[in-house]
Amino acid sequence: MITIDIKAERQYQVRIGADFKDEIKDVTKGRERIAFIFSEKMKDKVKNLEVGDAEPFYFAVPDSEVAKSTKTLLQLWDWLGAAGFTRSDLIVGVGGGAITDLSGFAAASWLRGIDWVAIPTTVAGMVDAAVGGKTGINSEYGKNLIGAFHSPQRVIVDLQWLETLSDRDFSAGLAEVVKCGFIRDTKILDFLKGKSLAEIRADKALTTELIERSIRVKGDVVSGDYKESFNREILNYGHTFGHAVELDSKYSLRHGECVSIGMIYVAELAYALDLISESTLLLHRELLGSLDLPTTYSASSWSALLANMKLDKKSRGNTLRFVLLGEIGQTQRVEGPDEGALIAAYEKVCQ
Ligand SMILES: NC(=O)c1ccc[n+]([C@@H]2O[C@H](COP(=O)([O-])OP(=O)(O)OC[C@H]3O[C@@H](n4cnc5c(N)ncnc54)[C@H](O)[C@@H]3O)[C@@H](O)[C@H]2O)c1
């Protein structure tokens, strides 16, 4: 087992390669009540967990983004109240990023903050959503608009969960792994070169290495800038255009698929601005393409995507800000790039 320490408002551990059943016995010691939040898919595995003397409570939520709604959260708050949850009790979120985001926010908001533990069950959840303390739900006005920073007590990364994950969700999670390679840990890119999705899935040691390295990148960045005042923004590489695509596609594409398209966009933009070489641009296309991730998008229009990008949390007033590469592994912020370059990059991605 590999343990990574993350420092935020409190220090906590990410335990990679752990058996979640053993970890649950450990984290529930001394607690009176445990609330498990999970989707129906996880029911059988969650309901058989041993929690010592604690009393387990089970709350099944709808799958994916439907879980991250005010409706589900209101039901969850009522349920916690009816079950008598106090500040010494524990919430455990078991699922993909949508469920750990909801569980973390329920923990952040109940009694102004109770402890929670994340058990991510997707690649995206393991390398991204469950690590870093951002919790939240969607509003009808947009994704992740309601939320809080509230770090978990522990993140339990048991790779056995990945066996049942669809290829599409596995590959969507790898988009964030590729991102970590481009912004910081270039060894990740070396590991990925020449590998197909099937080869990565079949190689457990490689999968573990990629997940561990990506968690180290995220852990390192958020430990230095927990509340996203400056450096944490680099984790949004590819996300400005990616979020615009996500909204434009009405969430029909996975988050990681949109990030993949977004990384091609920022690579094209950096190339148009003479910040990266053609070989760096082509490396983006090669790596993401070999993981079966999309590298093009049929947009409704440039103006629709531009309007969506202006809603991005990094934008200031009407000025767009992007995280772009200089060299591989080094990022820079670019504010208000030339419109010609923005459109040229758009035309390359949305031919
Ligand atoms: N808090 C953060 O810092 C942060 C970072 C990145 C993403 N996110 C959020 O995470 C969400 C995306 O996460 P995701 O990609 O895990 O999506 P998800 O939670 O919607 O899960 C994707 C699909 O995988 C299924 N699934 C989950 N685990 C499975 C398993 N072990 N076997 C089979 N199927 C399984 C789910 O039921 C779902 O259908 C988004 O809501 C995004 O906003 C949050």
Side-chain angles (χ1 to χ4, degrees), residues 41 63-65 68 96-98 101 121-122 134 143 161 164:
K41 274 186 198 166
D63 203 27
S64 265
E65 294 304 309
K68 283 177 65 172
D101 273 11
T121 62
T122 60
K134 277 189 186 175
K143 213 163 172 252
W161 289 105
T164 52

Side-chain angles (χ1 to χ4, degrees), residues 4-12 131-133 149 151 184 215-235 333:
I4 298 177
D5 288 314
I6 313 267
K7 296 182 196 75
E9 81 278 35
R10 77 163 77 93
Q11 184 161 330
Y12 60 97
V131 180
F149 287 95
S151 297
R184 255 306 160 89
I215 293 174
R216 284 194 192 283
V217 170
K218 179 143 192 195
D220 203 34
V221 173
V222 301
S223 293
D225 178 20
Y226 175 48
K227 292 215 168 167
E228 202 165 55
S229 337
F230 186 64
N231 209 31
R232 192 169 174 158
E233 277 188 1
I234 71 168
L235 296 169
R333 264 167 214 79

Side-chain angles (χ1 to χ4, degrees), residues 39 41-42 45 62-65 68 94-101 120-136 138 143-144 160-166 169 172-173 176 179 218 232 239 243 246 254-256:
S39 76
K41 274 186 198 166
M42 311 291 162
K45 282 187 177 157
D63 203 27
S64 265
E65 294 304 309
K68 283 177 65 172
V94 188
I99 287 179
T100 52
D101 273 11
T121 62
T122 60
V123 176
M126 291 174 184
V127 301
D128 201 358
V131 180
K134 277 189 186 175
T135 70
N138 304 325
K143 213 163 172 252
N144 298 332
Q160 283 179 41
W161 289 105
L162 302 183
E163 283 163 20
T164 52
L165 200 62
S166 68
D169 283 305
E176 301 286 359
K179 176 198 78 181
K218 179 143 192 195
R232 192 169 174 158
H239 283 58
H243 282 148
E246 211 169 348
R254 300 284 199 271
H255 174 73

